[in-house]
Amino acid sequence: MAFLAKHRKEELISFADDMGIEISSNDKKVDICKNAKESPDFEEEFVRGCLEEIVKQREELKAQAEAAELKRTEALRQEREFELEKIRLSNAAETSSVASTRSENSKNRRSLKNLMQKFDAQVTDISMYLTLFQRQARTAGIEETEWVPQLISLLSLDLAQIIIKEPEEKMQDYLNVKEVLLDRFKMKPETFRLKFTQHKRKPGALWKELVFELRHYLGGWLDGSEVRDFESLKNLMISDQIKRRVLGDVKEHFLDEWGKLVDPLVLAGEIDEYESVMNSRKLHNVRMPERKPLERVKLPSPRKEKKVNS
């Protein structure tokens, strides 16, 4: 009985089927072992042999299944590697084609020196010039990776040296170069705001040109103020109206952060605090009206009185 308990339930079920022993699906191992032992055909050595054969067959089937699964897995792996290799070859061919096309385009690219005048700070501001440069570069089909060399060729020597002094990895980045130039000419959000509100049409220029210029300055103001939605736009407009209504000393006090104060509540809080401090100082510095010194009355000398009486 003990050797029967060492076998798995499925092995005992298989043995019971071979021996014609009736069992139910709800029978446990102990029930199957009991029914097998109570069978009139039960003989220990015979049963041992049958169970060993069943175990052997099960292990062979398991080994065959594992071998089949391993073979299937290997076939899938080889198929995937084949597909990956096809993709690699396809990408390599495409990359080679693109590189060849770029090389050909690079040879035939147009120079913006023939399409744009050199930058002159006396004629136009750097932000407007960079916008025109970008539009012209796109129109000419020049890739952005080539923008920096093209731009340097249009700048004066001192501005070109500023760019060249940047770290090498940043020197090739057009967006970084653009930011460096804007900082060089102090093109901050407040600068764009002033240009947007004060810019006038040049004599003889078309009104459409003024529209383009105003859009440019407005875009610089909004981008610099990080306006991304209608709510932030409303805050910016309200803050601008507040700034127009304050006295000059307030703006001078917040000069370093004036352009960054775009939240009207934050701006109002800063101004209220500043005015509170200034009013407090005025109260402490009130001067009392000066009193005039009392005039000293000279009494007549006794000697003079005697002379007068005599």
Side-chain angles (χ1 to χ4, degrees), residues 57-71:
Q57 291 178 359
R58 182 182 62 79
E59 290 177 348
E60 288 177 353
L61 290 174
K62 181 181 178 182
Q64 291 175 3
E66 289 177 350
E69 179 64 21
L70 184 62
K71 185 177 181 180

Side-chain angles (χ1 to χ4, degrees), residues 178-188:
K178 179 180 178 180
E179 185 177 348
V180 169
L181 291 174
L182 292 177
D183 287 341
R184 165 65 177 77
F185 288 92
K186 297 181 173 57
M187 296 298 294
K188 304 296 183 182

Side-chain angles (χ1 to χ4, degrees), residues 197-215:
T197 56
Q198 300 176 5
H199 186 65
K200 297 180 181 179
R201 183 171 67 100
K202 297 176 183 178
L206 298 175
W207 285 100
K208 288 184 178 180
E209 295 181 54
L210 179 63
V211 171
F212 174 81
E213 293 163 356
L214 290 177
R215 280 181 175 172

Side-chain angles (χ1 to χ4, degrees), residues 59-259:
E59 290 177 348
E60 288 177 353
L61 290 174
K62 181 181 178 182
Q64 291 175 3
E66 289 177 350
E69 179 64 21
L70 184 62
K71 185 177 181 180
R72 187 181 69 84
T73 303
E74 180 65 18
L76 286 174
R77 186 186 65 80
Q78 292 179 355
E79 183 179 354
R80 288 173 182 170
E81 286 186 354
F82 176 72
E83 292 297 328
L84 287 174
E85 187 63 24
K86 284 174 60 179
I87 293 173
R88 291 192 194 99
L89 293 173
S90 176
N91 289 341
E94 185 176 349
T95 302
S96 176
S97 175
V98 170
S100 176
T101 303
R102 286 182 176 177
S103 177
E104 188 66 25
N105 291 338
S106 178
K107 293 178 182 178
N108 299 327
R109 70 174 183 270
R110 301 170 67 182
S111 173
L112 291 184
K113 290 180 68 175
N114 302 325
L115 301 174
M116 291 185 66
Q117 293 182 347
K118 281 201 168 189
F119 172 69
D120 185 353
Q122 303 298 325
V123 177
T124 183
D125 66 71
I126 188 65
S127 66
M128 183 67 70
Y129 187 83
L130 290 175
T131 297
L132 295 174
F133 169 82
Q134 292 167 200
R135 291 167 67 95
Q136 193 68 265
R138 293 191 184 98
T139 303
I142 298 175
E143 295 183 10
E144 190 169 341
T145 54
E146 298 292 330
W147 285 9
V148 173
Q150 293 276 357
L151 178 61
I152 290 177
S153 67
L154 295 169
L155 299 177
S156 59
L157 181 60
D158 58 333
L159 293 179
Q161 287 179 345
I162 293 175
I163 298 174
I164 294 172
K165 289 177 182 177
E166 285 288 297
E168 188 171 353
E169 64 277 5
K170 292 185 177 181
M171 187 183 72
Q172 300 298 330
D173 184 358
Y174 173 77
L175 293 179
N176 176 71
V177 170
K178 179 180 178 180
E179 185 177 348
V180 169
L181 291 174
L182 292 177
D183 287 341
R184 165 65 177 77
F185 288 92
K186 297 181 173 57
M187 296 298 294
K188 304 296 183 182
E190 180 64 12
T191 309
F192 282 105
R193 184 191 72 83
L194 291 174
K195 286 184 174 292
F196 173 68
T197 56
Q198 300 176 5
H199 186 65
K200 297 180 181 179
R201 183 171 67 100
K202 297 176 183 178
L206 298 175
W207 285 100
K208 288 184 178 180
E209 295 181 54
L210 179 63
V211 171
F212 174 81
E213 293 163 356
L214 290 177
R215 280 181 175 172
H216 166 74
Y217 292 130
L218 177 61
W221 180 23
L222 298 181
D223 290 341
S225 302
E226 297 183 354
V227 173
R228 299 291 181 265
D229 51 36
F230 184 66
E231 187 65 26
S232 55
L233 177 61
K234 288 195 298 183
N235 289 337
L236 182 65
M237 294 296 101
I238 295 172
S239 297
D240 181 59
Q241 291 301 313
I242 293 174
K243 291 176 181 179
R244 291 171 182 266
R245 289 166 168 77
V246 298
L247 299 177
D249 62 322
V250 177
K251 179 179 179 180
E252 185 176 353
H253 177 75
F254 294 103
L255 189 60
D256 292 339
E257 52 183 334
W258 194 244

